[in-house]
Amino acid sequence: MIVVTGGAGFIGSAIVWKLNQFGENKIIIVDELGTDEKWKNLVPLKFDVFIHKDDFISMIIEQDIPFEISAIIHMGANSSTTEKDADHLFSNNYLYTKELANYCLGKNIRFIYASSAATYGDGSLGFDDDENKLETLRPLNMYGYSKQLFDLWAKRNDVFNKIVGLKYFNVYGPNEYHKGDMRSVIHKAFEQIRDTGKVRLFKSMNPKFKDGEQLRDFIYIKDAVDMTLFFLDKPNTNGLFNLGTGKSRTWNDLVAAIFKSLNKKSNIEYIELPEHLREKYQYFTEANMNKIKKAGYNLPILSLEDGVADYVKSYLLGKQYLST
C-alpha cells in the first residue's frame, strides 16, 4: 500500500491520479476534508481507504497500522504563506512530518516529503538544493520556516541518505480549485479575465524589476507529479531536490499565455503591492535543476505556454478535475 498524505489536496490528489494511471489503486489517502470542496478532487480517483490525518498520526505514534505500507508520500501541510498561527504550522508541518519520517526510517518504508522553495527566502543566496547550504537559508514567512525546520532536522540526524525532500517551486494546474487565496495566479487571472476582461498584477517595489517583470519558476502540476514519482522506486536516490523548470518567467509572460489560450487581447492593470506583503515578497525564483537531472530524471518539461494552454483549455474552461 502507498500512503499519500494531503491526498485530497492539490499536489496530493494529482499524485494519486498519476498512480492510478500506472495501474496502482492500493492507496491510502490521509487528509482532512474540512468545509471547502477539495473532496471533489477525490471523486474520479481510485483508492482503498481514506483516513483523517489526526487518526493516522495516532496510528503512527501507537505503531498500530493495520496495513502493509511500502511508501509514504507526504504532501499534507498547511501551505498558506500568509498563515499567522506559528504554533499550528510548527505542529502541523514540522512535528507531524518528523513523526512520519521516524516511523518510515524504523520500518524501512520509502519516505518522500514536500519541502518548499519558500525555504530559499528572497533568493539572494541562490536556489541550489544542496543540503550543506541549509543553515544559510532565511525563509521570509512562517510557512517556509516550518518546512525549513524539518529539512534541518533531517540534516542534523543524517537521514538525507535515506529519504527524499522535494522543494516545489510555483506549481499550477487542475485540482487547485479549493485553495482560495492560495490558488495559483493562473487560476485567479483566468477568473478575472472571464469576469472583467482584464488582469490585475502587483506593481514592482524593487527598482531592478519593472511592473509585471517579477520572475518566478512556474511548473505545471503534471510535470511536478512526474518528478515526484521518479523517486518512488529508487531507494538509493535520496536527498533534497528542486522541482521546477529551471527557467524563470515573468508575470507578464504568464498573463500573456492565459490571454492567448482564451484568444483574447492582453489587458493588464498594475496595482499596489499590499503593505503586509512588501517585506515577504519574492522577486525572483528559479530552480537549479542539475541535481535531479544528474539523478537520472530526463522527461521533457512543458513550457509555460504549453502548460497554461492545457490547464485553461482542458480544465479551467469547464472546471474539470484530473480523472483516470
Side-chain angles (χ1 to χ4, degrees):
M1 301 281 279
I2 298 173
V3 175
V4 181
T5 73
F10 175 33
I11 299 177
S13 64
I15 288 171
V16 176
W17 164 76
K18 192 66 175 186
L19 288 171
N20 286 169
Q21 287 195 324
F22 291 154
E24 180 61 70
N25 302 329
K26 292 189 178 299
I27 300 167
I28 300 168
I29 289 181
V30 174
D31 211 325
E32 63 176 343
L33 297 179
T35 57
D36 59 31
E37 294 192 332
K38 69 178 175 181
W39 63 268
K40 290 184 178 181
N41 290 340
L42 298 178
V43 175
L45 305 180
K46 299 175 183 177
F47 56 96
D48 265 18
V49 64
F50 178 96
I51 302 176
H52 190 279
K53 74 181 188 70
D54 293 342
D55 295 330
F56 186 69
I57 201 65
S58 295
M59 295 163 70
I60 289 288
I61 293 170
E62 294 168 7
Q63 302 273 312
D64 184 25
I65 305 289
F67 310 101
E68 189 73 28
I69 297 175
S70 60
I72 294 181
I73 304 174
H74 180 42
M75 300 290 115
N78 182 333
S79 59
S80 173
T81 57
T82 58
E83 175 61 60
K84 295 181 179 179
D85 188 341
D87 289 324
H88 165 70
L89 289 171
F90 182 84
S91 175
N92 192 73
N93 291 5
Y94 168 57
L95 295 180
Y96 197 106
T97 307
K98 190 168 69 167
E99 290 288 353
L100 294 184
N102 278 324
Y103 182 84
C104 289
L105 289 165
K107 301 285 186 180
N108 197 29
I109 293 170
R110 189 69 168 136
F111 186 62
I112 301 169
Y113 74 94
S115 180
S116 172
T119 59
Y120 288 119
D122 64 8
S124 60
L125 297 174
F127 299 93
D128 296 327
D129 43 6
D130 182 350
E131 296 89 353
N132 293 320
K133 297 181 179 180
L134 279 175
E135 288 85 357
T136 67
L137 302 181
R138 297 292 182 267
L140 296 176
N141 53 58
M142 182 56 202
Y143 163 72
Y145 183 52
S146 71
K147 292 294 188 177
Q148 169 81 342
L149 282 171
F150 182 78
D151 293 346
L152 290 169
W153 177 89
K155 182 183 178 183
R156 284 196 310 272
N157 288 274
D158 196 26
V159 296
F160 270 129
N161 60 337
K162 298 176 182 177
I163 67 175
V164 174
L166 303 175
K167 294 198 172 194
Y168 294 91
F169 278 67
N170 286 66
V171 186
Y172 66 94
N175 288 28
E176 64 169 332
Y177 310 124
H178 66 282
K179 288 175 66 66
D181 196 49
M182 289 298 109
R183 291 170 297 152
S184 71
V185 170
I186 297 172
H187 189 283
K188 295 177 183 178
F190 167 81
E191 290 187 338
Q192 290 178 31
I193 295 169
R194 181 194 64 196
D195 297 341
T196 69
K198 66 180 180 181
V199 170
R200 305 173 82 191
L201 293 178
F202 290 139
K203 292 179 180 179
S204 172
M205 303 292 292
N206 186 329
K208 295 180 181 179
F209 298 86
K210 296 179 180 179
D211 292 342
E213 297 298 305
Q214 304 95 317
L215 292 158
R216 291 286 192 282
D217 191 332
F218 302 102
I219 179 169
Y220 194 35
I221 184 64
K222 294 180 180 179
D223 289 319
V225 166
D226 283 342
M227 292 178 190
T228 302
L229 293 179
F230 166 77
F231 296 96
L232 186 59
D233 298 319
K234 293 179 174 57
N236 296 319
T237 303
N238 297 295
L240 271 177
F241 293 87
N242 285 334
L243 265 61
T245 66
K247 183 176 177 59
S248 62
R249 301 292 299 275
T250 69
W251 292 114
N252 288 336
D253 290 337
L254 179 75
V255 168
I258 302 170
F259 276 109
K260 182 178 180 181
S261 296
L262 294 170
N263 294 315
K264 294 180 179 291
K265 185 178 179 180
S266 288
N267 184 5
I268 303 172
E269 176 187 354
Y270 298 104
I271 61 174
E272 296 296 330
L273 183 65
E275 188 75 32
H276 71 279
L277 292 179
R278 293 182 184 182
E279 293 184 0
K280 302 177 181 180
Y281 190 81
Q282 290 177 306
Y283 280 85
F284 171 75
T285 66
E286 184 175 85
N288 182 334
M289 297 296 288
N290 291 334
K291 193 172 180 182
I292 192 172
K293 290 179 180 178
K294 287 180 180 178
Y297 187 82
N298 57 14
L299 293 179
I301 300 173
L302 284 176
S303 68
L304 177 65
E305 286 74 15
D306 289 342
V308 168
D310 185 61
Y311 187 19
V312 170
K313 296 177 182 179
S314 301
Y315 299 97
L316 284 178
L317 284 172
K319 198 178 180 180
Q320 298 298 310
Y321 292 80
L322 292 168
S323 179
T324 55

